[in-house]
Every structure is written in C-alpha cells, then in structure tokens.
Amino acid sequence: MWRRVASLSPLVSRSKSRLLDQVQVANGFNVWQVFSTQVLNPTEGGVSDRRRTPLVTFVLGGPGSGKGTQCTRIVETFGFTHLSAGDLLRKEISSNSENGSMILNTIREGKIVPSEVTVKLIQKAIEASENDRFLIDGFPRSEENRIAYERVIGAEPDIVLFFDCPVEEMVKRVLNRNQGRVDDNIDTVKERLKVFTELNLPVIKYYSEKGKLYKIDATGSEDEIFERVRPVFAVLR
Ligand SMILES: Nc1ncnc2c1ncn2[C@@H]1O[C@H](COP(=O)(O)OP(=O)(O)O)[C@@H](O)[C@H]1O
Ligand SMILES: Nc1ccn([C@H]2C[C@H](O)[C@@H](COP(=O)(O)OP(=O)(O)O)O2)c(=O)n1
Ligand SMILES: [Mg+2]
C-alpha cells in the first residue's frame, strides 16, 4: 500500500531575493508550508494494479521548472502519452477556435484559462488516445481546475509529480526558452509565478495531504533530475 512518510521537508530552501519576496505568499499560505509525501514500497492495491482505468499522473511545478522536459523523458522510458495543458490551449489558439482570442489574452496576462475550456480539451485528448497511461502536464493549476477535472472525468490522479525549483532558476530557464511564446517575458513570468504561488500551491498541498505527491528536486542536469523521477515509474513496469 501507499505509505506516507512522516518527515515534513520544506519544499524549497529559503532564499532572500527580491523576486522571491514578490512571488511569495498568498492568503496566509506560502510555499514554505507545503510538505512532500514519499511513497515507499508500492505493492498490492497500489498504482501498479489499477490497469483497467487509465493511469493518470499530474505533472506540476512553476513555469520553467522542467515539467515538459521531464515528461518527454518519461514518455520515452515508460510509454506514457504526454498531454500538456499549455500545448492544448496553444493549439486552440492556432486553430482559430471560438475561444482562441480569450485563451491568447489569458495566457498573455499570465492568468489561468477557465477550467471548463481546459478540462474539455484534456477529456477530448484522453478519449482520442488508445493509451492507458497519461501525463497531464501543467494541470491542475488551481483548485477550480482540480475540482472541474474530478467532476468531468470522475476520477482522481494516481500520481502527482511536483518539480520543485528555485524561483531564480525558473526565471532564468523561461527567459532562455526561446520558443517564441507570448508569455515568456519578465512581466508575464512574474505574474505566472504569483499565480503559481497563490493558486497552484494549494493544489500541491492538497495532493500532499492525500499521500499522492512526489516532490522532485528540479535542480541539476536533465539527466540528474530524470534519475530522481525514474523510481516513481519503475515500479509500474
Ligand atoms: N535541468 C535543466 N537545466 C537547465 N535547463 C533546463 C533543465 N530542464 C529544462 N531546461 C530548459 O528550461 C526551459 C524550461 O523547461 P520546460 O521543460 O519547458 O519547463 P516547464 O514545462 O516546466 O515550463 C527549456 O528551455 C528547457 O530546455
Ligand atoms: N491548466 C492550465 C495550464 C495552462 N494554462 C495557461 C496559463 C499558463 O501560464 C499557460 C502556459 O502553460 P504551460 O503549462 O505551457 O506553461 P509552463 O510549461 O509552465 O511554462 O497556459 C491554463 O490557463 N491552465
Ligand atoms: Mg511546459
């Protein structure tokens, strides 16, 4: 069975940068108060046994924490289908759908698109796939996202990965990303970090308390990080 480890390790070490101060805090809750859960010894009844319904992993972390990069590695090694909420939304923009301009404006401002839009896109993508293993990347980004998913899909995720990365490193990675994204600029990044702290950290805390969260140190090389991710999925083979 899933086992929770009692040790409550802070998500990130304290740092005193100005940017960090700007993005910290929301409603009396802040990044330092979230704790991780480690799962030891998954055996009978664990995620490896649930093969009839799709196996869903939510992949969370701030902008630039390396979610997409590590998802690619997980897909290559463990055969998941990668559904990036951001990519699905960007596809909607480029396909000139009726929601396209609303989505574009929301992303440009660093805010979160209404849950019904995003959940529908995820649902469609799951239904269109023959796979039974999904990485849902960048979702849920808020409690509203999480609740809408549970309502529409009627299930909870099996695993939640959280890529834990210092703010300075996330900012550096985003500003160097070079993919021509409208939201990869310093002003929007500040807003996205604020939104992450205020709306996404409560989701991370929720899954931590449910015993589903794997906190991954997202510093170091891509290879080093993947070696921290690998054991989470190795038990599923
Ligand atoms: N471990 C790493 N060290 C340095 N740069 C990285 C690392 N992992 C990813 N990157 C780079 O950082 C940027 C953001 O990574 P990405 O996977 O897109 O993050 P996210 O999906 O969390 O926003 C990309 O340009 C990526 O190539
Ligand atoms: N669940 C989601 C996921 C993304 N979005 C929007 C808002 C986000 O800032 C952008 C970009 O998301 P994306 O996951 O691609 O961004 P990062 O990989 O974290 O840099 O999309 C959303 O509104 N709701
Ligand atoms: Mg991404």
Side-chain angles (χ1 to χ4, degrees):
M1 286 298 289
W2 296 85
R3 211 145 56 101
R4 258 190 98 181
V5 172
S7 80
L8 300 174
S9 55
L11 290 185
V12 282
S13 60
R14 280 175 191 275
S15 160
K16 290 293 170 211
S17 81
R18 254 193 36 210
L19 182 55
L20 198 58
D21 290 339
Q22 284 166 20
V23 299
Q24 238 186 34
V25 179
N27 307 324
F29 170 74
N30 75 36
V31 67
W32 320 120
Q33 294 167 340
V34 185
F35 301 99
S36 71
T37 300
Q38 289 176 8
V39 175
L40 302 176
N41 190 25
T43 55
E44 296 255 314
V47 289
S48 52
D49 296 317
R50 273 182 248 144
R51 307 303 298 124
R52 281 198 198 143
T53 50
L55 191 145
V56 171
T57 297
F58 285 162
V59 181
L60 304 180
S65 60
K67 302 181 293 298
T69 303
Q70 293 299 321
C71 282
T72 302
R73 303 291 296 267
I74 299 166
V75 166
E76 285 164 6
T77 310
F78 296 107
F80 279 71
T81 291
H82 178 202
L83 303 179
S84 156
D87 286 349
L88 291 170
L89 291 166
R90 285 184 284 273
K91 245 184 250 159
E92 278 296 282
I93 296 170
S94 47
S95 71
N96 291 322
S97 84
E98 53 170 338
N99 288 320
S101 58
M102 177 276 290
I103 296 171
L104 175 61
N105 289 334
T106 308
I107 287 180
R108 191 180 271 140
E109 287 169 15
K111 307 272 199 246
I112 296 179
V113 172
S115 299
E116 60 180 83
V117 173
T118 316
V119 171
K120 256 188 218 149
L121 294 173
I122 292 170
Q123 184 186 30
K124 251 170 65 184
I126 290 175
E127 285 171 4
S129 171
E130 305 248 302
N131 204 346
D132 62 357
R133 295 177 173 201
F134 297 95
L135 297 171
I136 304 187
D137 164 8
F139 183 96
R141 263 186 156 85
S142 65
E143 282 288 281
E144 194 205 288
N145 266 187
R146 177 182 73 70
I147 289 161
Y149 177 92
E150 283 174 17
R151 192 178 58 241
V152 172
I153 307 290
E156 290 218 344
D158 298 280
I159 296 171
V160 181
L161 291 186
F162 166 44
F163 288 100
D164 173 22
C165 195
V167 166
E168 293 83 350
E169 179 65 21
M170 291 194 278
V171 171
K172 198 168 82 189
R173 290 182 192 174
V174 166
L175 297 182
N176 286 331
R177 181 151 48 189
N178 242 344
Q179 290 176 355
R181 281 175 47 171
V182 293
D183 52 347
D184 282 354
N185 59 75
I186 188 62
D187 290 335
T188 310
V189 167
K190 280 185 189 170
E191 180 59 26
R192 288 159 69 197
L193 286 165
K194 188 162 158 276
V195 166
F196 171 70
T197 304
E198 291 179 2
L199 300 182
N200 211 341
L201 282 178
V203 176
I204 288 164
K205 186 166 184 274
Y206 173 87
Y207 287 122
S208 170
E209 286 167 356
K210 289 214 128 193
K212 294 192 171 185
L213 193 78
Y214 289 81
K215 186 185 75 167
I216 308 290
D217 173 359
T219 61
S221 69
E222 290 177 22
D223 285 350
E224 284 167 339
I225 297 164
F226 185 63
E227 289 313 315
R228 298 173 195 137
V229 169
R230 188 192 293 277
V232 176
F233 298 100
V235 295
L236 303 175
R237 296 199 118 185

